[in-house]
Amino acid sequence: MQRRAEREQPERAKRLTRVLVCAAAVPVMLVTAGCSSDSGSDDGGDKAASASASPSASPSPTVREAAYRTLPEPCAVLSEKTLDDLVPKAKSGKEGSSDDISTRGSCSWDSLENNGVKGSQFRWLNVSMLRFDSDTTRGPGDELAREYYGKQVRDAQSDEGAKNVRTEPADGIGDEATTVRYDLKKKEGTFKQQTVVARVENVVVTLDYNGAGLAGDRTPDADDLVKDARKAAKEAVASVTEANGTDAAPSKSPSKSASQSPSKSPSKSASQSASKASSKD
């Protein structure tokens, strides 16, 4: 009996030791399992957050660049010889106001040549320029200029008091040009009005030129005035091109014009010139 008790005692001790070792290992496994579970959860959350934080980027809208970026000095677009021919007694030109000379500019000259008892010859000349930048909302600059070009022609055709209106293409001036000519009768005399509207790339040039014989002097020949006006318009368009140098990139011909146009017109109406004539008389 004693020997059997002695043999069983070591066996009990071994079993007790194994139980304690296993009991100590349980918390370690639980901790390990808990850490593994947390780590897996974090990885999934990071991936979801990363996916939601980087959506696919949509491409930005683009529009072709406008060819011309500036305008020449308005009162320097015509040579002295041209001014002597069109407004022989004119002094220095009067530059119109502009909030941005690289976008809008104008200059006007008037002349009153006194012929004594025969009366006098009045001339008025105005050159205006409007440049359009390309815009992703409104469209390319040359298309905006084309739309405004059409508007200027229509405005000239419908000028108040205009009689015997004639519209003709003006070949060889810029990319496209039109001449509108008509008579404007006032108490001072009959004014012969010529308006040449030309577009070159994204710039529109409008040249107004009229003449009248006042105080009994003869009415100037309209064909001569048209010829002079076209010559001056061609010179003004060339000045726009020269001001932009060789860096200007010609735009491709558009198929359609944009849907919006500027609300303000830089050109002056013939009726304003008639008012000047009456004040000079």
Side-chain angles (χ1 to χ4, degrees):
M1 289 292 292
Q2 183 177 359
R3 287 180 181 178
R4 189 169 57 182
E6 288 175 355
R7 285 197 300 268
E8 291 176 355
Q9 187 173 4
E11 291 298 329
R12 292 194 193 98
K14 289 180 181 179
R15 287 197 298 271
L16 179 59
T17 300
R18 285 197 297 269
V19 171
L20 293 174
V21 170
C22 290
V26 170
V28 175
M29 295 175 64
L30 291 175
V31 171
T32 304
C35 294
S36 300
S37 177
D38 290 344
S39 174
S41 175
D42 288 346
D43 288 345
D46 290 344
K47 290 179 181 178
S50 175
S52 61
S54 46
S56 58
S58 58
S60 301
T62 59
V63 63
R64 66 173 173 268
E65 186 178 0
Y68 292 161
R69 299 178 178 86
T70 190
L71 293 176
E73 178 67 29
C75 293
V77 296
L78 300 178
S79 66
E80 291 185 7
K81 182 181 184 306
T82 298
L83 292 174
D84 285 343
D85 290 341
L86 272 66
V87 279
K89 298 296 182 178
K91 297 180 181 179
S92 58
K94 181 180 179 181
E95 185 172 345
S97 60
S98 174
D99 54 358
D100 184 357
I101 59 175
S102 70
T103 301
R104 182 190 301 268
S106 65
C107 191
S108 61
W109 300 261
D110 59 77
S111 168
L112 187 65
E113 187 176 8
N114 194 338
N115 295 318
V117 295
K118 295 182 180 180
S120 58
Q121 285 290 321
F122 172 78
R123 299 288 185 274
W124 181 76
L125 173 66
N126 183 80
V127 178
S128 62
M129 301 170 291
L130 194 60
R131 185 182 66 83
F132 294 83
D133 284 319
S134 295
D135 184 89
T136 54
T137 302
R138 299 173 61 205
D142 58 318
E143 290 190 14
L144 297 173
R146 172 172 288 176
E147 182 181 354
Y148 184 69
Y149 162 83
K151 178 180 181 297
Q152 286 291 85
V153 172
R154 293 191 296 272
D155 287 349
Q157 292 170 329
S158 58
D159 200 6
E160 185 179 358
K163 302 294 183 181
N164 305 319
V165 180
R166 293 172 57 187
T167 303
E168 306 164 342
D171 298 331
I173 304 176
D175 295 322
E176 54 186 335
T178 300
T179 302
V180 180
R181 50 194 290 190
Y182 54 83
D183 297 338
L184 194 63
K185 292 186 177 181
K186 297 288 183 179
K187 62 180 182 180
E188 298 87 355
T190 300
F191 289 79
K192 297 291 184 177
Q193 168 71 28
Q194 285 62 232
T195 298
V196 182
V197 184
R199 181 187 68 84
V200 55
E201 294 291 351
N202 54 311
V203 176
V204 176
V205 175
T206 304
L207 184 141
D208 291 306
Y209 182 51
N210 66 38
L214 305 179
D217 204 346
R218 62 179 178 82
T219 300
D221 184 81
D223 290 336
D224 290 341
L225 296 180
V226 167
K227 186 185 298 184
D228 289 340
R230 289 179 177 173
K231 175 184 175 182
K234 187 173 184 178
E235 190 173 323
V237 167
S239 295
V240 173
T241 302
E242 291 170 6
N244 286 273
T246 57
D247 293 336
S251 59
K252 296 180 181 179
S253 299
S255 57
K256 294 181 180 181
S257 62
S259 60
Q260 298 180 7
S261 62
S263 59
K264 295 182 180 179
S265 167
S267 63
K268 298 182 179 179
S269 66
S271 58
Q272 290 176 319
S273 61
S275 299
K276 287 189 176 184
S278 61
S279 63
K280 288 285 185 179
D281 189 28

